[in-house]
Amino acid sequence: MRWLLLFLEWFVDWARGTYWYLVGKRSSLCKPIQNSPGFQEVSRTAKDGVLKQEFSRDAVPANLDVIVVGSGLGGLTAAALLAKLGKRVLVLDQMDQAGGLCQSFNEKGFDFDMGFHNLGQVHENSLLKVTLDQITDGRLKFVELEPHVDTVVIGRGQESKKYTIYSGKRNMEAHLKKQFPNDAVAVEKLFKIMKICTKKIHMLCMLKLIPLWFARLILCTGLVDWISPIFKYSRSSTADVLRSLTSNKDLQTVFCHFFSGPSPKNTSCMINAVLFHHYKRGAFYPRGGVCEIPYHIIGLIQRHGGKVMVRAPVSQILVKNGSACGVTVNSGGVEVAVHAPVIISNAGVFNTFQKLLPPESQAQPAIMERLQILKLGKAFFQVFVGFNGAQEEFEVTSTNYRFFKNDDIDAMADEYFASSQERAPDRIPMMYVSFPSAKDPSSKDRFPGQTCMVIHSIVKYEWFEQWKDLPASELKAYEDYKMRFANTLFDWACEHFPKLKDKVAVIHAVSPLNMHGLRAPRGAMLSAAHDLERDQPVNIAKNRSSTPVKNLYLTGQDVVSCGYAGAVHGGIICASTVVDHALYIDLMLHKRKLKEKVSKKLD
């Protein structure tokens, strides 16, 4: 029976692909990009001219086809793809600079990335690289970082243990086996799961593009489990799968080191497998800094007649006769209506459904049902530290560090989030440390003699909530409390980088109350939580780009997955839904042509 189903799947895919290849309509995404220049240094003033175009009603393009709310990577990806397909697009953002978390800010002369660290799966001719080339006309260039991608530190003081993760098609697995020689078989099984989940994740994405009734049918009948085990891994908790493979708590912790909020007992094995595999072919950073990403995407949108405007807070999505038809922008206290037949929201599912829609739309049962699929993610806390001195002086590299208080993530997360407000700053169980200035070669020229460090951790919004509406003059207690978290995290980092302590020039903490002004609900920088319920296959199918409001679509992290790659794929699925064409097919065909071209050169 299984072989029959596999044959049928292959035959249907072959027939559909052959028909499309021979007579199907192909989009411009199948074509090679034109005039892809090498990296060109652009002044900050020139970049600001693109990234900081303020909203003006007179500057709005005429005859708009699409309005995108939010200029994060998911919104820009959808906008750029649609622009290349002939749509006239307007992107609106509330901030004074476009890019969402793909931007930097300056604090006392130091330039910090808001949330970007590095990106995987952008090796030559990968799907993600092909997509980024398409939405930037190939002008976005990446630097490949050192193969030592991550260090996982478990424990504190002399009892701490370090495990290193290296990129490399074969080296990643081999290096992990060297560190866990008694668990070599478990490592092999983990990498088989990673391969399955990465190779077959398109099946989960397709659940969002096929009719929902059909998705429910094949899921409820159990047919999908005969086709691929990815559906089993998607609905299985990470903790359960790991316990079935190994009792080594350190290995379990290393596999879960991409901690985004929910603990292993409440996350899908599939999402952890995909995140771990993400850097197997290397880690990359945009040459020239993170602002290069929105800068080049916006350039493409403008070349196709579109516009990206900032200081344009959208106060409401306009709905007429059950269909989205425009937005209102609060421009200097005046509500300005801008209309288009298609509205895309990159503001996150919670902001979109609970704040931007008019009350009568929010009350729709279908909207309420969609919201029940997702829970709000954990709040984030960030510390940005600048040092007087070059990276060589501090012996820091492009490697990221993941610190855990012990090897039981589930238990320490439960204990931490049960803490009182007073005790919480002293009980932080985990953190992420990165040195952005060590990742971009141009940083040495742009900011000579400076080193930047970024620390991320998770917190409970309720610990900060009492200060959310107070005026700045009454926030001394808040600043003191915030710095308790910041100092605890910084001191922990200095246990491993002692040379940093005496060279601090600036330390800047960002709590969930403000989160860079992104309006992230309750400080949830990753928006919806990636918990086990979200990644149940039937909920993956339900949580799609289309919404119960006609002509209103969602893009970004909440559509597919957290992180920057997740946001890009959210944009692809959104654009595919808008034009009713699976753009993945076009991108995959273009990818295949590029690979064939390389093979011919080698021959």
Side-chain angles (χ1 to χ4, degrees):
M1 181 66 177
R2 181 181 181 185
W3 292 110
L4 176 61
L5 287 169
L6 287 172
F7 172 77
L8 288 173
E9 183 210 9
W10 170 82
F11 180 78
V12 170
D13 285 345
W14 173 83
R16 182 175 54 190
T18 302
Y19 172 81
W20 178 85
Y21 184 80
L22 293 175
V23 299
K25 184 180 179 181
R26 302 176 188 178
S27 76
S28 60
L29 302 182
C30 296
K31 301 175 183 178
I33 54 177
Q34 301 295 322
N35 302 321
S36 173
F39 175 75
Q40 297 177 331
E41 187 70 49
V42 178
S43 70
R44 185 70 196 212
T45 302
K47 282 185 185 177
D48 286 348
V50 173
L51 297 171
K52 297 184 177 182
Q53 300 176 75
E54 290 191 28
F55 176 81
S56 165
R57 183 66 184 91
D58 296 335
V60 171
N63 303 316
L64 287 173
D65 297 302
V66 181
I67 295 174
V68 180
V69 181
S71 67
L73 191 51
L76 290 178
T77 298
L81 290 171
L82 292 170
K84 289 202 76 169
L85 296 175
K87 305 294 184 184
R88 182 159 292 190
V89 183
L90 171 66
V91 182
L92 300 170
D93 199 285
Q94 60 171 338
M95 300 185 72
D96 59 4
Q97 179 174 318
L101 284 169
C102 281
Q103 58 177 292
S104 59
F105 68 95
N106 193 278
E107 183 71 21
K108 297 183 179 179
F110 288 82
D111 209 60
F112 295 104
D113 293 348
M114 280 189 180
F116 188 90
H117 311 304
N118 46 40
L119 198 58
Q121 295 296 308
V122 287
H123 53 280
E124 201 60 36
N125 296 333
S126 69
L127 179 60
L128 188 56
K129 178 68 161 57
V130 166
T131 303
L132 289 171
D133 282 346
Q134 284 288 339
I135 63 176
T136 64
D137 282 338
R139 301 184 185 193
L140 176 63
K141 305 300 179 183
F142 286 94
V143 179
E144 185 168 4
L145 305 180
E146 295 183 13
H148 180 185
V149 179
D150 281 299
T151 292
V152 179
V153 183
I154 302 173
R156 300 286 296 268
Q158 295 182 345
E159 303 298 319
S160 66
K161 291 173 281 186
K162 290 184 181 180
Y163 299 99
T164 53
I165 299 172
Y166 278 70
S167 62
K169 198 171 183 179
R170 296 177 180 82
N171 189 41
M172 180 179 274
E173 180 178 347
H175 186 73
L176 206 58
K177 282 181 178 178
K178 286 181 182 178
Q179 297 173 90
F180 296 97
N182 296 329
D183 288 277
V185 174
V187 172
E188 287 178 9
K189 291 180 178 177
L190 283 172
F191 273 76
K192 285 180 181 177
I193 292 172
M194 288 161 52
K195 185 175 182 179
I196 289 169
C197 292
T198 304
K199 292 277 187 183
K200 299 297 183 181
I201 195 168
H202 68 277
M203 292 184 174
L204 296 177
C205 291
M206 288 305 294
L207 291 175
K208 300 175 182 294
L209 294 173
I210 62 177
L212 183 56
W213 67 265
F214 184 63
R216 283 176 166 169
L217 175 65
I218 60 176
L219 289 169
C220 291
T221 57
L223 290 175
V224 292
D225 288 326
W226 288 87
I227 296 172
S228 172
I230 188 172
F231 299 94
K232 176 185 72 175
Y233 292 128
S234 184
R235 62 175 180 262
S236 300
S237 82
T238 303
D240 287 344
V241 173
L242 289 176
R243 279 196 296 266
S244 72
L245 298 178
T246 178
S247 59
N248 190 319
K249 300 289 286 185
D250 283 7
L251 178 56
Q252 293 178 12
T253 301
V254 169
F255 185 71
C256 299
H257 73 278
F258 290 99
F259 191 81
S260 61
S263 52
K265 65 183 178 183
N266 195 32
T267 56
S268 164
C269 174
M270 176 275 299
I271 196 67
N272 270 290
V274 170
L275 288 172
F276 200 105
H277 184 276
H278 187 65
Y279 295 104
K280 191 174 182 181
R281 298 293 296 274
F284 299 80
Y285 188 87
R287 183 181 291 275
V290 67
C291 291
E292 291 285 309
I293 299 175
Y295 171 72
H296 289 298
I297 299 177
I298 293 169
L300 179 138
I301 293 170
Q302 292 182 158
R303 288 191 292 276
H304 285 80
K307 205 87 169 178
V308 178
M309 294 182 170
V310 299
R311 299 198 178 190
V314 170
S315 52
Q316 190 173 81
I317 294 170
L318 299 175
V319 178
K320 185 177 182 180
N321 298 326
S323 179
C325 59
V327 300
T328 56
V329 180
N330 189 319
S331 178
V334 178
E335 295 290 337
V336 178
V338 185
H339 293 91
V342 171
I343 309 299
I344 294 172
S345 178
N346 189 43
V349 65
F350 299 103
N351 280 334
T352 303
F353 287 169
Q354 296 177 330
K355 295 181 180 180
L356 295 181
L357 283 177
E360 58 272 19
S361 296
Q362 293 182 31
Q364 288 184 30
I367 293 287
M368 304 299 290
E369 183 182 352
R370 281 287 295 271
L371 285 171
Q372 289 174 3
I373 299 171
L374 304 172
K375 296 183 181 69
L376 194 60
K378 297 293 185 186
F380 270 71
F381 190 95
Q382 299 173 298
V383 186
F384 300 89
V385 192
F387 306 94
N388 291 321
Q391 65 189 60
E392 293 82 5
E393 179 182 344
F394 304 119
E395 300 176 0
V396 300
T397 65
S398 64
T399 302
N400 303 315
Y401 287 78
R402 319 270 178 166
F403 295 90
F404 297 90
K405 190 169 67 173
N406 59 51
D407 61 6
D408 193 336
I409 299 178
D410 281 323
M412 66 181 174
D414 288 346
E415 179 187 15
Y416 175 56
F417 286 112
S419 300
S420 66
Q421 181 191 45
E422 176 59 29
R423 297 188 66 187
D426 304 317
R427 304 177 74 177
I428 302 172
M430 61 199 74
M431 69 175 179
Y432 166 91
V433 176
S434 176
F435 297 91
S437 53
K439 298 179 181 182
D440 178 18
S442 71
S443 180
K444 293 182 180 180
D445 297 325
R446 292 186 294 130
F447 307 103
Q450 293 185 352
T451 297
C452 293
M453 177 172 73
V454 179
I455 305 174
H456 289 245
S457 191
I458 51 177
V459 293
K460 200 171 179 179
Y461 180 79
E462 287 78 5
W463 294 333
F464 298 84
E465 192 170 19
Q466 71 184 74
W467 294 292
K468 68 174 182 176
D469 296 322
L470 291 180
S473 60
E474 298 179 29
L475 291 180
K476 184 181 185 307
Y478 162 68
E479 292 293 336
D480 292 343
Y481 185 68
K482 187 172 67 169
M483 289 310 297
R484 283 184 61 195
F485 278 94
N487 291 329
T488 298
L489 291 166
F490 179 61
D491 290 343
W492 189 358
C494 286
E495 290 177 14
H496 297 268
F497 302 100
K499 293 183 179 181
L500 298 175
K501 194 95 176 182
D502 298 328
K503 297 286 186 173
V504 176
V506 57
I507 180 165
H508 176 69
V510 175
S511 85
L513 288 190
N514 121 320
M515 202 47 61
H516 308 288
L518 292 170
R519 290 190 187 173
R522 299 177 70 84
M525 192 166 66
L526 300 181
S527 194
H530 247 301
D531 59 6
L532 189 57
E533 184 177 0
R534 170 179 175 169
D535 287 319
Q536 295 298 305
V538 68
N539 286 337
I540 289 175
K542 291 179 183 178
N543 183 34
R544 47 185 55 208
S545 179
S546 57
T547 74
V549 178
K550 187 179 178 182
N551 295 334
L552 173 64
Y553 302 87
L554 300 175
T555 186
Q557 296 183 100
D558 286 350
V559 175
V560 180
S561 172
C562 61
Y564 295 92
V568 170
H569 283 284
I572 298 171
I573 286 179
C574 178
S576 298
T577 307
V578 170
V579 298
D580 195 23
H581 177 78
L583 298 179
Y584 277 111
I585 297 176
D586 298 354
L587 293 167
M588 291 295 290
L589 180 63
H590 182 47
K591 172 186 171 183
R592 190 178 74 180
K593 287 180 178 178
L594 291 172
K595 283 193 169 184
E596 288 173 352
K597 188 176 180 181
V598 172
S599 297
K600 287 179 181 178
K601 283 184 179 181
L602 293 175
D603 293 341

